[in-house]
Amino acid sequence: MWIEPKELLLPSTFWIAEMYSRYFVLQKRRGHGESRGFGSMLVGTYDSVWNTKPAPYRIVHRTPSSEVSYEIAIGITQDEIAQDWEWLQANLFNVLNEMENEDEVTNFTICKIKSLYTQNNQDETGETADFKVMTSQFRKTFKMPEEERLVNSYSATYVKNKIPRQGQLYISLNHVCFYSYMLGHEIKRIIRFAELEDISRNANTIYLKTTNNMTYNFTLIFNAGEAHLLIEQLNKMAIQQLIQDPESPVVDHDPSNFARLGTKTSKKPVLLRDLTARQKSEEFRIYFRLPQTEIIDGKIKANIWTPYSKRFNAGYIYLSPNFFCFRSDVKDLVSVVIPMKTIKSVEKKDDGQQRFDNQIVIITSENVPFMFAQIVAREVLISKITDLLSRIHVPVSRERAKYDISWSKQTALMNTFKTQFSAEIIRNQEEKMVRWEAHFRDFGRGIGMFRTTDVINLIVEGIPDQLRQEIWLIFSGAIHDKEMNPGLYEDLVEKAACIKDCFAHDEIDRDLPRSLPEHPAFQSTDGIGALRRVLQAYALRNPQVGYCQAMNIVSSVFLLFCDEENAFWMLASLCENLLPDYYKDKVVGAQIDQGVLNELVETHLADLHEHLEQLGVIKMISISWFLTIFMSVISYESSLHILDCFFYEGAKIIFMVALQIIEWNRDKLLKCQDDGEAMLVLQNYLEGIYNPDYQVPPSTDKRKMERSQTQTVQTLIHEAYTKFGEELTQQRIEELRNKHRRLTMRQFDVDNEKTIVKAYLQNPYFDRNELHMLLTIIREEKHALKSMQQQQKTQCSLSETPQLLMHQSPTKVPNEPIPCGGGNGRHEAYCVNYEVFHTLFTELTPWRKCVSVDIGEKLFRLTDKKGTGYLDFGQLINALGLVCSGKSMEKLKLLFVLHLPPLLSKAEIERSRRPRPRTKDDAEEAFEAEDFFDDDASESMEALPSPSDHQFDADDYALISATQHLHNLAGISGNTFMDLSRNTPNLSLNSNTSSLAQRNSTFYVDLPTGAFPDLGAARMTPPLGATAGAASATAAAAAAAAADKMLLNVETISNFSQISDLVAATRLDRADSNATDSRSLGSLGYLLDQPDEGASGSRQTIPHLRKENFQLLWRSIIEIMGCVQDEEMRMAYDNLLELGNSNIKKEPSLESFTQLNLGGSGDEQPDSNGNPTTPAAEHSSTTRLFVALEEELREASGKATNSSRDSSSSTNTSEAWHISINQFIATVLTVNSIVEGFQTPIQITEQIEQLQKKRRKCLSTNY
């Protein structure tokens, strides 16, 4: 790529010239693409230590007489730099040779390259060439996909075993990576943000700890603070993404509209600037209580005129698309929020004594002036405001669908159900109202009021009932969401009312009677109806939250003082902005703040913390306190006071009040001996908190009448502000939340693992520690796989990945409302798909050495009994445990089964005879994939049966198997048989049979479904590659005649009602026959579920092995043994071959799970093991019809095959060759080396640690 020309004083240092011309030279970085010689090691070490990391190729311009050169182009690959060199050859070489002055040559070249650089970077992202090179090196070094965007990199030192390693710390959207190269020794480390458990910083050193207890220390000389904040921010985004959608753990940044007001431009990477703007936007929204869609556009230094104090106050102006805000430098001195839509004019003020102060005056639609002075870049500010005003969009109520539901919005319930207060309380309310009105006169009213410490004092004293709706809407920010979504509430209410059989609605109806039941408003249909509509509408608006207990309590209080729509928007603001994640699955937000409170108690009440930790009290109290904002534990009239402060301060007031309550009960809590006693102490104290300014009439409840008053709520709030208000800042709370968000999510995983381990502790293979490690590696591999799948647009590169069924992940439906109390996906979280299983099998088991046959794929198919494409943890334990155990007998049986058809198909056998090394070349993968999924569907792994398919019942199987057995005698293929069945009218009368040809999830190997060739077309069109000779014509005519004959005979007996007797007889025969007990793969699952079952009663149901399958089985054994075959193994192999030859003269063996013997052949013979077969059932009349047809087909088949019998004798002999599992195991057990190898157990703990080490070090794998 072309770059801005840069001067070089030492152009040849560490570079090798590849191409020359008179004025240009193409150079390659020394060591790139070469073997690591001493020189290349020195260059690599130099680049790593000094953080140079240049592009591997570059083009330099120089003149013969000049000592200064210019770097004009760089390239990541040789092809890329070659394109630039070719352009120079075609466009500049001849032109420059005609110039006589070297200065003219240099000036012309630099001017031309600058022009090219400008043209080629017009549509780019704005990144510098150096950053593009850095990004390319990052992706190449750590094998990251294109979608993984690099944020920034820093020169850092990684200390390992007390040895410092200088290198580069790369920070991308989802990973922290480190690379170092020191004198031939490479170090790579990859850490996912989602697996970080602790992040801390001391001076210039950043400390990271992962969930698997790995620690990393990175020392940065420069920008340590920036790197630490960036890691904290990206970790927060990763954990929030896990909370929002555990199935999509990858963070994807949507670039914000970041733009600076000043004229300076930053040289930092674009994504880093966007993330910085994102962080600032979040702080901006939290402070000013703005909607989540607001993105900060910039800030600028200015002073604001405050008319109540007659002076200017210094601060900053903040701009966003819909709001103009100001915040003073002095904390809480003054702040202002002005909606852009209310700005009527913006004018310069250049008169008077302060005409040189760069003043502007903003006038709102209510004719309220706001004056600002000492503005930096006033012209830029006015231009920006004008631009934002031109793009402002004022939403209007939209047309909505009409529903057949009659309802009307409920006004504030306190106006309908009025409380009879005493004269003193009414007088106090009036006095508060006077003070508030005076404040409005001085500081303004509505959204644009001056927000100062005076308003905080008024709120602490209490808000009058008449003003609660207005003040709550303004300071919670709910007013903005309401104005931006006019008509949305009505739409949601009517749509929610039309939803039937909704789980969230059932939960809401169940909790309605428990919502502030002591208030008369919620003993009436008006209050209950309004509360139901609010909760149902919000469940529809936010399906991720749906409905959670405690939402009914806070909503009922909102409805007392706000009308119905305002109460809805208050609830939305509470759930989405003020207490994020509180009401989601597992109330994760409340559990995070529970950890925050625990640490605050440890900090401020250290002597009490250890005692409360032993009792476990904080875990018991925090959830109920936080979810209802103390409404469930403090009287309604007192909790109103806390709620007033909550909407102004946010979650800060909850922590302050909780700390104050615990401190007041310090002495009593220290004397408590158990958690019940401590809870009783706190309960009695909280019930005694009262509000003297808001006393409702005495309750008739004797228990409430007997309460002893402990403290006023005004004193509680005042003391909380006094003792904890200054130390407990919003920034401190956010830092603690980030820390405990990581710890809480980690604790969820730990609790899940403990529960699952307890359930599977009695398994015969793994102990407690091994189960924990297995769960850990499953979780890590699933997250890594999901990250790659979400980032990559292409599918997994494994060409032999089976794609059996269209299945859903065993998780909840995304749009389904989540019930309160947590989800039920504890075990589902550790289900594994084929990709994860393949990784675990290859990395953890000794059978990974087998390369001729993909044993892992076969084992996955055999274990997945329900055909879901997933294995649960129990199935995974059985599969991996058996392979890693020392049970040689069971392992040999399993290996035998894994080489039987249809697990081992003919296509794989043919492919194994022409082995090719597995590479990652795209063309090779495409060839393997095409070879694997060949035209014959019966030989594809997609044709494997699934026992979970209920559309294919026993009648289908018996009928199709019996009929196909007859057709096989005449040489009719399975495809032709299916075509005959489909084209025969009477056969299609049965619904089960007709559905067979349409199924795409379950079918047997010998009965493929799909697009079968039309029989008529087969008669007319010769096969591909055939000539028009007489032989071809004769063969085609004979095939057509045979097909016509077969079609005629089938039609004579094709009525399904006439052959039900045959089906019954076939099913009876199938139930009794030992040789035909296995109709599908799932029938052999007992090998994994009951590995210790006696062989005598189990091997009879296992089919025999054909010669080509046996040869692959023996090759697999050799590979498992390390590709070493001793004399005993050779003798065993020869003995097995002889046994197979001796079985040729016996009765034809069962060669597949899907074959079925048809009873009543008339000549019963013992099976290959010498066991007598079950007598056939007596033939019915319909059965005799089939027997007659069989005889007819046998005669036709005999006449057609006499001429070719000699030529096919060798093939028939090979197909008749077989061995039984008894013969196989009895012979193999005589080989000491095989027995010893299969009896050696594998310590899975060591294998898991090695796999984790590979992942951390970014070591490549061979699969």
Side-chain angles (χ1 to χ4, degrees):
M1 68 185 78
W2 304 110
I3 62 172
E4 190 81 21
K6 295 188 298 184
E7 285 190 7
L8 302 174
L9 297 179
L10 299 174
S12 299
T13 307
F14 301 148
W15 293 87
I16 302 174
E18 293 281 306
M19 296 184 181
Y20 288 97
S21 74
R22 183 177 180 183
Y23 297 112
F24 300 97
V25 58
L26 189 155
Q27 298 176 335
K28 181 181 73 172
R29 188 70 171 177
R30 187 178 297 274
H32 179 76
E34 302 173 357
S35 60
R36 290 296 183 180
F38 182 74
S40 63
M41 286 194 300
L42 286 179
V43 174
T45 304
Y46 175 86
D47 290 338
S48 179
V49 171
W50 296 103
N51 189 27
T52 53
K53 294 288 184 181
Y57 297 95
R58 71 179 184 182
I59 297 177
V60 175
H61 164 68
R62 64 182 181 185
T63 55
S65 61
S66 176
E67 297 181 356
V68 178
S69 301
Y70 295 89
E71 186 180 33
I72 61 173
I74 59 176
I76 308 299
T77 63
Q78 188 172 9
D79 292 339
E80 182 180 347
I81 202 68
Q83 291 180 0
D84 295 338
W85 182 263
E86 291 172 0
W87 189 94
L88 292 175
Q89 284 181 321
N91 296 276
L92 285 188
F93 281 11
N94 295 332
V95 175
L96 297 181
N97 288 333
E98 296 176 357
M99 297 182 182
E100 299 179 357
N101 190 341
E102 291 186 356
D103 292 338
E104 183 180 355
V105 169
T106 300
N107 292 335
F108 179 82
T109 301
I110 292 176
C111 182
K112 189 65 177 178
I113 298 302
K114 285 183 177 180
S115 175
L116 290 173
Y117 170 75
T118 303
Q119 293 176 6
N120 294 338
N121 285 272
Q122 285 179 351
D123 299 328
E124 294 291 334
T125 59
E127 302 287 9
T128 63
D130 291 339
F131 187 79
K132 292 177 182 177
V133 172
M134 186 188 306
T135 301
S136 177
Q137 291 173 342
F138 161 73
R139 290 172 178 160
K140 180 180 178 181
T141 301
F142 300 100
K143 300 179 177 62
M144 291 292 178
E146 291 292 327
E147 291 76 14
E148 179 67 4
R149 300 179 60 189
L150 180 65
V151 179
N152 205 1
S153 67
Y154 303 90
S155 179
T157 301
Y158 169 55
V159 180
K160 179 187 177 184
N161 298 329
K162 299 182 180 180
I163 299 177
R165 296 282 183 177
Q166 181 65 31
Q168 198 75 1
L169 184 69
Y170 297 91
I171 300 178
S172 66
L173 279 178
N174 296 281
H175 300 86
V176 178
C177 304
F178 178 81
Y179 177 79
S180 173
Y181 180 84
M182 299 288 288
L183 296 177
H185 182 60
E186 261 188 344
I187 289 182
K188 296 180 184 179
R189 294 293 182 270
I190 297 182
I191 310 168
R192 288 186 298 108
F193 283 118
E195 67 179 349
L196 287 177
E197 187 176 291
D198 187 32
I199 304 171
S200 59
R201 175 191 168 208
N202 184 9
N204 289 338
T205 302
I206 299 175
Y207 301 91
L208 305 179
K209 181 182 178 182
T210 63
T211 54
N212 54 5
N213 293 322
M214 295 298 301
T215 58
Y216 304 88
N217 305 330
F218 300 105
T219 302
L220 289 76
I221 300 178
F222 305 104
N223 302 317
E226 177 185 290
H228 175 252
L229 292 177
L230 186 58
I231 292 174
E232 284 276 10
Q233 180 186 3
L234 291 169
N235 171 255
K236 176 183 177 181
M237 293 167 59
I239 300 299
Q240 286 178 333
Q241 179 66 23
L242 275 179
I243 295 173
Q244 296 285 342
D245 187 2
E247 294 302 311
S248 300
V250 176
V251 174
D252 187 15
H253 174 70
D254 184 13
S256 61
N257 297 322
F258 179 74
R260 296 181 59 87
L261 288 175
T263 56
K264 297 180 180 179
T265 57
S266 175
K267 294 184 179 180
K268 294 182 178 180
V270 174
L271 186 54
L272 177 61
R273 299 201 302 265
D274 283 347
L275 289 172
T276 303
R278 179 174 180 156
Q279 178 65 27
K280 290 181 178 179
S281 296
E282 184 176 352
E283 298 171 355
F284 167 71
R285 290 192 299 265
I286 291 175
Y287 183 84
F288 293 106
R289 296 284 196 275
L290 300 180
Q292 292 290 331
T293 55
E294 288 302 304
I295 303 295
I296 190 172
D297 199 82
K299 69 176 184 178
I300 192 168
K301 185 71 175 174
N303 299 339
I304 189 173
W305 173 258
T306 51
Y308 55 86
S309 63
K310 304 295 190 294
R311 55 172 295 184
F312 281 99
N313 293 285
Y316 282 92
I317 293 173
Y318 298 83
L319 288 179
S320 72
N322 296 289
F323 294 93
F324 179 105
C325 304
F326 179 86
R327 179 182 181 182
S328 61
D329 292 335
V330 180
K331 180 183 176 183
D332 295 330
L333 180 61
V334 61
S335 63
V336 173
V337 176
I338 306 174
M340 284 287 185
K341 65 181 181 180
T342 64
I343 296 179
K344 188 167 63 174
S345 66
V346 180
E347 301 176 356
K348 298 179 183 178
K349 188 174 185 300
D350 293 330
D351 55 348
Q353 298 179 351
Q354 298 175 339
R355 57 183 177 273
F356 301 110
D357 287 348
N358 285 341
Q359 295 183 357
I360 65 170
V361 176
I362 296 178
I363 300 177
T364 66
S365 56
E366 298 176 353
N367 293 322
V368 177
F370 292 90
M371 184 183 301
F372 299 89
Q374 303 293 332
I375 302 172
V376 179
R378 179 176 66 171
E379 298 296 333
V380 176
L381 176 62
I382 294 176
S383 173
K384 195 65 179 177
I385 294 174
T386 303
D387 180 55
L388 291 174
L389 287 175
S390 65
R391 290 185 282 140
I392 198 72
H393 172 68
V394 180
V396 295
S397 183
R398 61 186 183 279
E399 282 291 328
R400 55 187 178 84
K402 303 296 182 182
Y403 298 92
D404 188 16
I405 296 175
S406 59
W407 65 281
S408 59
K409 291 182 187 177
Q410 177 66 48
T411 59
L413 292 172
M414 73 171 188
N415 298 327
T416 306
F417 302 89
K418 297 183 178 180
T419 305
Q420 300 298 323
F421 293 110
S422 64
E424 182 180 358
I425 293 179
I426 294 176
R427 185 171 61 255
N428 289 338
Q429 289 276 321
E430 292 174 350
E431 291 175 358
K432 289 180 181 179
M433 193 68 188
V434 170
R435 289 196 294 271
W436 274 93
E437 289 177 350
H439 179 83
F440 289 151
R441 286 194 298 270
D442 294 337
F443 296 88
R445 188 168 186 171
I447 299 176
M449 66 187 299
F450 288 94
R451 308 179 187 191
T452 66
T453 52
D454 292 344
V455 76
I456 300 176
N457 296 331
L458 286 174
I459 292 174
V460 170
E461 291 178 3
I463 303 175
D465 289 350
Q466 298 91 324
L467 293 178
R468 271 208 168 91
Q469 176 172 231
E470 178 183 350
I471 300 302
W472 283 0
L473 284 171
I474 291 174
F475 290 115
S476 68
I479 185 68
H480 305 309
D481 290 321
K482 178 185 176 182
E483 292 180 353
M484 294 178 66
N485 298 278
L488 177 61
Y489 176 68
E490 293 90 338
D491 196 21
L492 290 174
V493 167
E494 296 183 354
K495 287 182 178 179
C498 297
I499 298 177
K500 305 299 181 184
D501 300 327
C502 178
F503 176 77
H505 290 188
D506 295 339
E507 292 288 305
I508 291 170
D509 290 337
R510 187 188 65 184
D511 288 343
L512 287 177
R514 293 180 280 186
S515 306
L516 218 62
E518 66 272 14
H519 199 285
F522 297 99
Q523 299 171 3
S524 68
T525 57
D526 291 343
I528 292 295
L531 181 58
R532 178 186 289 108
R533 291 191 294 271
V534 168
L535 295 175
Q536 289 183 354
Y538 187 74
L540 182 60
R541 165 184 165 86
N542 192 347
Q544 285 190 332
V545 173
Y547 170 75
C548 177
Q549 287 180 345
M551 291 171 62
N552 60 319
I553 297 176
V554 293
S555 299
S556 60
V557 176
F558 295 160
L559 284 167
L560 289 177
F561 300 96
C562 307
D563 66 41
E564 190 176 323
E565 182 175 6
N566 289 336
F568 168 81
W569 289 112
M570 293 289 295
L571 178 63
S573 180
L574 175 73
C575 296
E576 298 166 12
N577 300 328
L578 298 173
L579 296 177
D581 302 326
Y582 258 52
Y583 303 98
K584 289 185 177 179
D585 187 21
K586 301 179 183 178
V587 290
V588 59
Q591 294 199 48
I592 292 170
D593 281 355
Q594 172 183 285
V596 173
L597 176 62
N598 189 44
E599 184 162 339
L600 291 174
V601 171
E602 183 180 9
T603 302
H604 299 282
L605 307 171
D607 57 335
L608 186 59
H609 174 263
E610 183 177 356
H611 185 64
L612 294 180
E613 188 74 11
Q614 292 177 352
L615 298 180
V617 173
I618 294 181
K619 294 181 179 180
M620 300 175 65
I621 64 175
S622 55
I623 298 297
S624 60
W625 290 8
F626 292 169
L627 283 177
T628 61
I629 318 176
F630 295 98
M631 293 179 192
S632 62
V633 293
I634 299 179
S635 63
Y636 149 71
E637 57 271 14
S638 300
S639 60
L640 277 177
H641 219 62
I642 300 176
L643 198 60
D644 292 338
C645 299
F646 169 76
F647 285 122
Y648 188 87
E649 293 285 0
K652 172 182 174 181
I653 190 66
I654 299 179
F655 294 113
M656 293 193 302
V657 170
L659 288 172
Q660 187 60 51
I661 292 173
I662 294 173
E663 186 189 41
W664 273 344
N665 292 274
R666 181 201 305 261
D667 297 336
K668 294 182 180 179
L669 290 173
L670 287 173
K671 296 177 182 179
C672 294
Q673 300 299 318
D674 55 47
D675 55 350
E677 186 180 356
M679 290 296 296
L680 187 60
V681 167
L682 293 173
Q683 180 182 348
N684 292 335
Y685 188 86
L686 291 170
E687 288 179 349
I689 294 177
Y690 66 100
N691 186 355
D693 296 339
Y694 203 84
Q695 288 291 334
V696 297
S699 173
T700 58
D701 189 347
K702 293 183 178 180
R703 181 171 172 271
K704 293 183 178 180
M705 294 176 63
E706 294 173 357
R707 289 177 182 171
S708 59
Q709 295 182 342
T710 55
Q711 192 58 267
T712 65
V713 69
Q714 287 85 356
T715 305
L716 171 62
I717 294 175
H718 182 269
E719 289 296 319
Y721 269 105
T722 302
K723 293 183 180 179
F724 306 107
E726 291 297 325
E727 298 180 7
L728 197 58
T729 62
Q730 185 66 36
Q731 181 180 358
R732 172 65 174 159
I733 291 174
E734 286 301 315
E735 291 175 356
L736 291 176
R737 277 179 169 173
N738 289 341
K739 174 182 177 180
H740 287 278
R741 188 179 287 109
R742 295 188 291 267
L743 297 177
T744 300
M745 296 302 295
R746 172 58 181 157
Q747 191 60 42
F748 286 163
D749 292 334
V750 171
D751 293 342
N752 285 347
E753 289 177 9
K754 288 181 179 178
T755 303
I756 297 174
V757 167
K758 185 177 180 180
Y760 292 102
L761 197 56
Q762 301 302 321
N763 79 89
Y765 302 114
F766 302 122
D767 58 22
R768 184 185 299 272
N769 181 52
E770 289 173 332
L771 289 176
H772 275 292
M773 293 198 68
L774 194 56
L775 288 170
T776 299
I777 195 63
I778 289 173
R779 186 183 66 250
E780 293 175 358
E781 289 299 316
K782 286 186 70 174
H783 280 308
L785 177 64
K786 289 174 183 175
S787 300
M788 297 299 294
Q789 287 178 340
Q790 188 173 341
Q791 288 173 331
Q792 292 178 338
K793 298 178 181 179
T794 58
Q795 296 181 348
C796 183
S797 60
L798 288 174
S799 62
E800 296 188 2
T801 300
Q803 304 289 336
L804 271 182
L805 304 172
M806 293 299 295
H807 55 263
Q808 285 186 335
S809 177
T811 56
K812 298 180 187 177
V813 179
N815 294 329
E816 181 183 352
I818 301 173
C820 180
N824 56 2
R826 175 173 292 165
H827 291 267
E828 286 81 352
Y830 293 94
C831 291
V832 300
N833 59 7
Y834 172 74
E835 288 80 4
V836 176
F837 177 83
H838 185 272
T839 300
L840 299 178
F841 180 86
T842 307
E843 293 289 347
L844 307 183
T845 69
W847 289 4
R848 59 178 174 269
K849 302 175 185 177
C850 185
V851 296
S852 298
V853 177
D854 192 347
I855 298 295
E857 175 197 9
K858 315 305 177 193
L859 184 58
F860 181 87
R861 295 301 179 185
L862 188 65
T863 311
D864 182 19
K865 301 176 184 178
K866 296 183 179 180
T868 61
Y870 282 85
L871 302 185
D872 60 34
F873 189 61
Q875 293 173 320
L876 183 70
I877 289 176
N878 289 333
L880 297 183
L882 178 56
V883 177
C884 295
S885 69
K887 300 180 179 182
S888 58
M889 177 78 74
E890 304 303 326
K891 290 165 70 173
L892 287 171
K893 288 195 297 183
L894 177 60
L895 195 62
F896 184 93
V897 170
L898 294 177
H899 286 75
L900 286 170
L903 280 174
L904 186 60
S905 63
K906 293 180 180 178
E908 290 179 283
I909 295 174
E910 292 298 327
R911 185 170 62 253
S912 66
R913 294 173 179 173
R914 52 178 194 279
R916 300 182 302 271
R918 291 192 179 187
T919 65
K920 292 298 180 181
D921 184 75
D922 294 340
E924 185 76 8
E925 288 185 334
F927 178 77
E928 290 185 3
E930 182 180 2
D931 190 17
F932 182 75
F933 297 108
D934 54 9
D935 294 335
D936 187 1
S938 66
E939 301 299 344
S940 169
M941 291 307 296
E942 288 201 25
L944 294 183
S946 171
S948 63
D949 191 348
H950 304 292
Q951 298 180 7
F952 192 80
D953 59 15
D955 288 340
D956 285 329
Y957 183 80
L959 171 65
I960 300 303
S961 299
T963 311
Q964 188 188 16
H965 178 73
L966 301 180
H967 284 274
N968 287 338
L969 296 175
I972 299 179
S973 66
N975 291 354
T976 307
F977 165 72
M978 291 301 298
D979 188 68
L980 291 172
S981 301
R982 186 174 60 225
N983 291 319
T984 303
N986 293 330
L987 273 180
S988 63
L989 293 176
N990 179 263
S991 60
N992 293 331
T993 306
S994 62
S995 65
L996 180 65
Q998 300 174 0
R999 290 181 300 113
N1000 58 3
S1001 61
T1002 303
F1003 46 87
Y1004 291 84
V1005 169
D1006 296 323
L1007 302 179
T1009 65
F1012 298 102
D1014 181 72
L1015 184 61
R1019 299 191 199 118
M1020 299 297 296
T1021 306
L1024 292 177
T1027 62
S1032 299
T1034 304
D1044 289 337
K1045 184 174 182 179
M1046 296 305 106
L1047 181 62
L1048 177 62
N1049 286 321
V1050 170
E1051 287 179 343
T1052 60
I1053 55 169
S1054 60
N1055 194 321
F1056 189 83
S1057 62
Q1058 297 176 356
I1059 59 174
S1060 57
D1061 294 336
L1062 171 65
V1063 172
T1066 306
R1067 294 180 63 184
L1068 178 61
D1069 176 76
R1070 180 170 171 264
D1072 294 337
S1073 174
N1074 289 330
T1076 59
D1077 185 63
S1078 298
R1079 95 176 213 191
S1080 68
L1081 300 181
S1083 62
L1084 291 180
Y1086 70 90
L1087 284 174
L1088 300 178
D1089 295 337
Q1090 300 176 351
D1092 297 325
E1093 183 180 341
S1096 61
S1098 63
R1099 295 178 201 164
Q1100 297 177 6
T1101 63
I1102 299 178
H1104 302 323
L1105 202 65
R1106 294 180 302 197
K1107 187 172 184 179
E1108 56 268 25
N1109 295 69
F1110 164 71
Q1111 290 171 339
L1112 274 181
L1113 169 60
W1114 197 259
R1115 185 188 300 178
S1116 298
I1117 293 177
I1118 294 175
E1119 291 171 348
I1120 292 174
M1121 298 300 297
C1123 296
V1124 176
Q1125 185 174 202
D1126 56 17
E1127 189 61 31
E1128 284 188 341
M1129 294 177 64
R1130 293 189 184 93
M1131 291 178 60
Y1133 177 76
D1134 293 337
N1135 291 338
L1136 287 171
L1137 288 178
E1138 288 299 325
L1139 284 174
N1141 292 330
S1142 64
N1143 292 332
I1144 293 177
K1145 298 180 181 181
K1146 298 181 180 180
E1147 182 185 16
S1149 63
L1150 180 66
E1151 297 178 347
S1152 170
F1153 298 158
T1154 59
Q1155 290 179 350
L1156 186 66
N1157 288 339
L1158 188 64
S1161 59
D1163 48 349
E1164 301 294 339
Q1165 297 291 337
D1167 63 10
S1168 59
N1169 299 322
N1171 299 319
T1173 57
T1174 303
E1178 183 179 355
H1179 298 316
S1180 65
S1181 58
T1182 309
T1183 307
R1184 288 194 295 273
L1185 191 61
F1186 260 92
V1187 172
L1189 176 62
E1190 180 178 356
E1191 292 298 331
E1192 180 183 352
L1193 294 178
R1194 195 184 302 276
E1195 293 177 4
S1197 177
K1199 294 177 181 179
T1201 57
N1202 282 336
S1203 60
S1204 59
R1205 183 174 300 167
D1206 295 336
S1207 62
S1208 61
S1209 60
S1210 60
T1211 303
N1212 293 336
T1213 300
S1214 175
E1215 292 178 354
W1217 189 101
H1218 66 274
I1219 60 169
S1220 67
I1221 188 171
N1222 286 338
Q1223 295 169 334
F1224 170 73
I1225 291 182
T1227 305
V1228 171
L1229 289 180
T1230 62
V1231 183
N1232 293 328
S1233 58
I1234 295 180
V1235 174
E1236 292 176 0
F1238 276 65
Q1239 284 181 344
T1240 304
I1242 296 296
Q1243 296 298 324
I1244 199 171
T1245 303
E1246 299 176 0
Q1247 303 299 323
I1248 292 176
E1249 290 175 350
Q1250 289 295 325
L1251 176 56
Q1252 290 175 330
K1253 191 174 182 180
K1254 282 184 179 181
R1255 294 292 182 259
R1256 292 193 301 269
K1257 293 185 176 182
C1258 192
L1259 298 179
S1260 59
T1261 53
N1262 297 323
Y1263 54 88

